[in-house]
């Protein structure tokens, strides 16, 4: 049986990516993926990550909270465990461009969750960071 190791990141909505990126940088987070004009950005502080996803309007940003990302020891095993329990993940596990293998699922109350495992450091592909 797969197990959750830690909460790794939270994804928050923003209607103005550049303003949100500046905010988190001012708090000491370092941009590791995306940027001012990107539809998705990641900022890191220590072992914690804040992901920002662009939405069309301030109202949309204010009415939804985002997503929690759990790191697990075996993404594929947890995905199968979810299927065996008659749960319905949003998609099968995939390798994401930011260096994680992950799958998304929604809990019964409508909260978006992702279960992931780091497969490589994003910085390995982007040494200029």
């Amino acid at each position: 049986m797969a197990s959750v190791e830690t909460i790794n990141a939270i994804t928050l909505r923003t209607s103005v990516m550049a303003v949100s990126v500046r905010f988190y940088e001012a708090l000491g987070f370092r941009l590791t993926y995306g940027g001012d004009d990107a539809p998705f950005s990641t900022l890191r502080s220590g072992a914690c990550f804040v992901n920002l996803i662009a939405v069309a309007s301030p109202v949309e940003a204010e009415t939804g909270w985002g997503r929690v990302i759990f790191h697990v020891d075996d993404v594929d095993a947890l995905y199968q465990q979810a299927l065996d329990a008659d749960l319905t993940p949003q998609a099968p596990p995939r390798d994401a461009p930011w260096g994680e293998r992950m799958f998304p699922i929604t809990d019964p109350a409508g909260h978006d969750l992702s279960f992931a495992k780091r497969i490589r450091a994003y910085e390995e592909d982007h040494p200029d960071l």
Side-chain angles (χ1 to χ4, degrees):
M1 181 175 283
S3 65
V4 173
E5 296 174 333
T6 185
I7 293 176
N8 174 259
I10 186 164
T11 300
L12 303 172
R13 296 177 182 187
T14 181
S15 60
V16 186
M17 183 65 72
V19 171
S20 292
V21 167
R22 294 291 90 67
F23 174 85
Y24 285 98
E25 286 179 329
L27 292 172
F29 285 78
R30 183 174 57 92
L31 184 70
T32 62
Y33 183 84
D36 290 352
D37 298 318
F40 184 87
S41 296
T42 298
L43 296 102
R44 177 182 190 166
S45 181
C48 300
F49 294 84
V50 171
N51 300 318
L52 302 170
I53 190 164
V55 295
S57 71
V59 171
E60 189 178 356
E62 294 168 6
T63 59
W65 68 275
R67 170 175 284 176
V68 173
I69 298 94
F70 295 93
H71 268 190
V72 299
D73 59 352
D74 188 331
V75 171
D76 295 285
L78 187 60
Y79 176 77
Q80 188 59 53
Q81 189 174 320
L83 293 177
D84 292 346
D86 293 325
L87 302 180
T88 309
Q90 296 169 358
R94 67 178 178 90
D95 293 349
W98 53 86
E100 291 179 330
R101 182 158 180 78
M102 54 82 64
F103 76 90
I105 191 168
T106 303
D107 81 1
H111 300 110
D112 287 330
L113 311 174
S114 284
F115 292 91
K117 180 172 181 75
R118 180 142 313 279
I119 53 176
R120 72 177 188 288
Y122 179 78
E123 293 83 356
E124 289 175 20
D125 295 334
H126 300 84
D128 54 322
L129 291 177

